[in-house]
Amino acid sequence: MFLAEKQEVETIEEASRPLSPESIGGTKDASAGPDISVELGGQRQLEEEELKALEKRLVRKLDARMAILVLINILNYVRRSRQHCSARLQGFEQDLHLEGQQYSVVLSILFVGYIIMQIPCNMFIEWVERPSVFLSLCTVLWGVISALTGKSEFYFSDSFAGALAVRFFLGFVEAAFYPGALFLLSRWYTPSELGARIAMLCCGSFVGNGWGALLASGILARMGGVLGHAAWRWLFFLEGGITVLVALCACVLLPDFPQNTRWLSHAERALAIERMERAGVSDRNDSERSEKRAPAGSEQHRSARASERAREVLHGLRLALSDWTAWWFAVAAFFQFLAQSFFIFFPTLAATLGFGTTATLALCAPPWMFASGLAIVLALHSDRTKRRFEYIVCSELAGIVGFIIAMSTMNTAARYISLFLMAQVYAGFVVFYTWTSNAFPSPPAKRAIVLALMNGVSQLGNVVGPYFWPTSWGPSYRHSYAICISAAGVSLVMMWVLRMHFVRVNRKIRRGEIDGPELIT
């Protein structure tokens, strides 16, 4: 066991050091191409074309495995945005004896645990360096809790208190996934690649929003009375069971960090680290200093390395919480979420078109499919141009036009077009997620905290937003749309301030007044 641990640590140390021609027995030649060499069949320096081919193969391998994050996100949004709303139609409130505002409290309590655990979860991921295990374990737990929601024997009591406890702990374990997934992507993909990958991850929420209600309606219509269970209980059983199966697969498929992913070769790990550094994104930890002060594999080495990682995570926390731009991003995200609060009531807004229940649920899907395609297009183009602000502005302005149309007319065609314009606001928010990650290239611990902080604060919009859509304001919901327009306007102003700040910082970097890579605007 000791020898195995020693070999593993030595392998991680080797992968963490940049490769050079001298390290494989060659000599450095300035005309020989890029300053990177790997061992591939024999010891030789790669030409530039071979290096690009190896990078493409590495990225394709990562893409194939990271795809399971999209599937998990689909399951998450199917459950979060549709499960309880659809179950309500089939006796959820009656079976659990919920009265008055208790149902609303049961829904909102999830976000309490969710917000509380955002930052601790990302700190833990950076410290343990095993996101594949941690994210998969949390997904298994939320799948189990979700499934047990349909089994009354597992409640503390078949009542409001039991439902409240289950929903709180569901948010508690679910908190790890989204900020953790964003951070994991940022550790593997360069700024010119990250936007498209975050877009694919976010497409899971679009699919969940678009098809969740329709899938739920099929289960509720056909599963009532099967094995003696109410239809709404089967909704929880099936979604929770599928989530657990997918999470177990994710534990095998997902990578950890570039320096310690087991299913990559030494050459691939070294290349993954080197390419991030060439892109100006640091992936090296200060904990490497401890590896040089103690013999590899020793108890002193392992203890020093763990202590260094803990200090680094706490240092990242201090850096993030003391950086005003991190808080600015977080508050801007809150106003964006507030402007997007309509998504919770999307079927209700579609119902104002005047069609039946099944047709209304079917009409919810096309706007979200459109948003998915547009998110990928915007992300790819913003990656190519290495600009973010303009794409966010265009998406937000189109959304504001949609709000204005919806509040101005009850014409069926116009209101349906407005749903497309409103849904595509999420495409701009995908670019905003990417911009947040790009704005904090190093150290990784700070980036992890900032992403969690931004996601946690933004979720307050989901807590406040539902109160701006009372039934009494329908069917036009003019006041609701006015609030969305105001929130979108505030977020645009805040992002403009950020952009102007980054432009000034870049000027100082070009003049040599401060060090560091230029920030993407």
Side-chain angles (χ1 to χ4, degrees):
M1 179 182 296
F2 176 80
L3 291 175
E5 290 178 350
K6 181 177 180 180
Q7 288 176 344
E8 179 183 349
V9 172
E10 290 175 344
T11 301
I12 292 174
E13 289 176 357
E14 291 174 3
S16 301
R17 290 193 291 268
L19 294 172
S20 63
E22 292 86 349
S23 68
I24 59 171
T27 57
K28 184 175 181 179
D29 183 358
S31 63
D35 186 17
I36 179 173
S37 301
V38 298
E39 194 172 45
L40 185 66
Q43 291 185 342
R44 60 189 178 85
Q45 184 171 357
L46 291 174
E47 299 294 337
E48 184 175 355
E49 295 77 11
E50 295 174 301
L51 174 62
K52 289 180 179 178
L54 186 60
E55 276 198 71
K56 288 181 179 178
R57 190 159 65 245
L58 173 63
V59 171
R60 282 197 299 269
K61 181 184 291 188
L62 290 171
D63 286 342
R65 289 174 173 265
M66 292 286 197
I68 198 166
L69 292 174
V70 180
L71 181 56
I72 294 174
N73 204 28
I74 291 174
L75 293 171
N76 182 22
Y77 269 81
V78 166
R79 180 203 57 73
R80 185 194 296 183
S81 64
R82 296 290 177 258
Q83 195 178 64
H84 279 86
C85 296
S86 301
R88 188 183 194 183
L89 302 176
Q90 294 290 325
F92 179 82
E93 286 183 279
Q94 292 78 9
D95 289 355
L96 299 185
H97 314 295
L98 303 183
E99 299 176 353
Q101 294 295 317
Q102 288 182 340
Y103 176 76
S104 299
V105 176
V106 166
L107 292 185
S108 62
I109 194 66
L110 178 140
F111 292 102
V112 175
Y114 188 83
I115 293 170
I116 289 173
M117 289 304 294
Q118 292 281 298
I119 290 177
C121 283
N122 260 22
M123 291 176 66
F124 190 74
I125 287 175
E126 173 66 11
W127 181 63
V128 299
E129 297 184 322
R130 292 294 180 191
S132 63
V133 177
F134 184 66
L135 293 179
S136 300
L137 177 61
C138 289
T139 306
V140 167
L141 289 175
W142 103 46
V144 170
I145 293 173
S146 181
L148 295 183
T149 303
K151 195 70 173 173
S152 59
E153 296 93 306
F154 289 93
Y155 276 93
F156 299 115
S157 61
D158 205 3
S159 65
F160 171 64
L164 205 63
V166 170
R167 288 283 292 178
F168 175 79
F169 287 110
L170 184 61
F172 210 73
V173 297
E174 188 184 315
F177 174 72
Y178 203 74
L182 291 174
F183 180 54
L184 181 61
L185 291 174
S186 74
R187 291 292 295 266
W188 286 96
Y189 293 104
T190 64
S192 62
E193 301 166 342
L194 186 61
R197 275 70 188 183
I198 291 180
M200 292 301 298
L201 175 66
C202 292
C203 281
S205 63
F206 302 151
V207 173
N209 283 330
W211 295 102
L214 201 57
L215 293 173
S217 66
I219 295 173
L220 293 173
R222 292 172 174 80
M223 298 299 292
V226 176
L227 299 180
H229 295 298
W232 71 264
R233 296 188 186 274
W234 279 107
L235 196 62
F236 293 95
F237 293 156
L238 294 176
E239 191 279 334
I242 294 172
T243 299
V244 170
L245 290 177
V246 172
L248 294 176
C249 295
C251 189
V252 178
L253 293 175
L254 285 178
D256 291 311
F257 294 142
Q259 76 275 8
N260 67 333
T261 295
R262 299 172 186 269
W263 44 262
L264 288 179
S265 66
H266 164 62
E268 290 172 322
R269 288 196 296 271
L271 177 59
I273 294 171
E274 197 87 24
R275 66 193 292 271
M276 295 297 289
E277 292 184 343
R278 280 190 277 113
V281 181
S282 174
D283 196 64
R284 293 183 182 276
N285 294 322
D286 293 337
S287 57
E288 291 174 0
R289 293 194 299 269
S290 67
E291 296 169 2
K292 300 175 182 179
R293 289 197 294 264
S298 67
E299 185 64 32
Q300 180 188 0
H301 173 275
R302 288 191 295 272
S303 176
R305 191 165 181 266
S307 298
E308 285 284 356
R309 288 203 308 271
R311 282 193 291 271
E312 181 181 88
V313 170
L314 293 176
H315 180 59
L317 177 65
R318 288 192 293 271
L319 289 176
L321 297 183
S322 62
D323 189 338
W324 73 268
T325 59
W327 289 99
W328 200 268
F329 267 109
V331 176
F334 163 76
F335 281 105
Q336 280 206 324
F337 258 69
L338 200 59
Q340 297 164 12
S341 59
F342 64 86
F343 93 92
I344 303 174
F345 301 93
F346 207 76
T348 301
L349 300 179
T352 62
L353 300 176
F355 298 98
T357 302
T358 303
T360 296
L361 293 175
L363 288 172
C364 290
W368 292 112
M369 297 305 102
F370 170 72
S372 298
L374 184 61
I376 294 173
V377 171
L378 287 184
L380 286 171
H381 203 267
S382 67
D383 279 349
R384 190 173 296 115
T385 60
K386 295 185 179 180
R387 302 182 73 85
R388 309 296 184 199
F389 176 73
E390 291 86 346
Y391 297 90
I392 301 172
V393 169
C394 290
S395 179
E396 290 277 356
L397 291 178
I400 290 174
V401 171
F403 296 142
I404 294 174
I405 292 174
M407 68 189 298
S408 303
T409 180
M410 292 301 294
N411 178 269
T412 300
R415 289 182 73 83
Y416 194 50
I417 291 173
S418 74
L419 293 181
F420 282 83
L421 294 174
M422 287 188 283
Q424 65 78 43
V425 170
Y426 277 80
F429 197 56
V430 169
V431 181
F432 180 82
Y433 270 124
T434 310
W435 195 21
T436 305
S437 183
N438 295 154
F440 303 94
S442 62
K446 179 182 179 181
R447 186 165 70 251
I449 305 303
V450 171
L451 289 171
L453 176 68
M454 186 268 288
N455 198 56
V457 173
S458 68
Q459 292 301 319
L460 293 173
N462 278 337
V463 177
V464 178
Y467 295 97
F468 297 142
W469 296 86
T471 306
S472 59
W473 287 2
S476 65
Y477 291 101
R478 289 187 179 91
H479 300 299
S480 306
Y481 289 127
I483 292 173
C484 289
I485 292 172
S486 302
V490 172
S491 70
L492 284 175
V493 172
M494 294 188 70
M495 284 183 284
W496 178 80
V497 172
L498 275 173
R499 182 181 183 277
M500 298 308 297
H501 170 67
F502 288 166
V503 168
R504 288 193 294 270
V505 170
N506 286 341
R507 287 174 184 162
K508 292 181 180 180
I509 292 174
R510 285 192 289 269
R511 290 196 298 261
E513 297 176 15
I514 56 177
D515 296 327
E518 290 194 20
L519 299 172
I520 292 178
T521 59

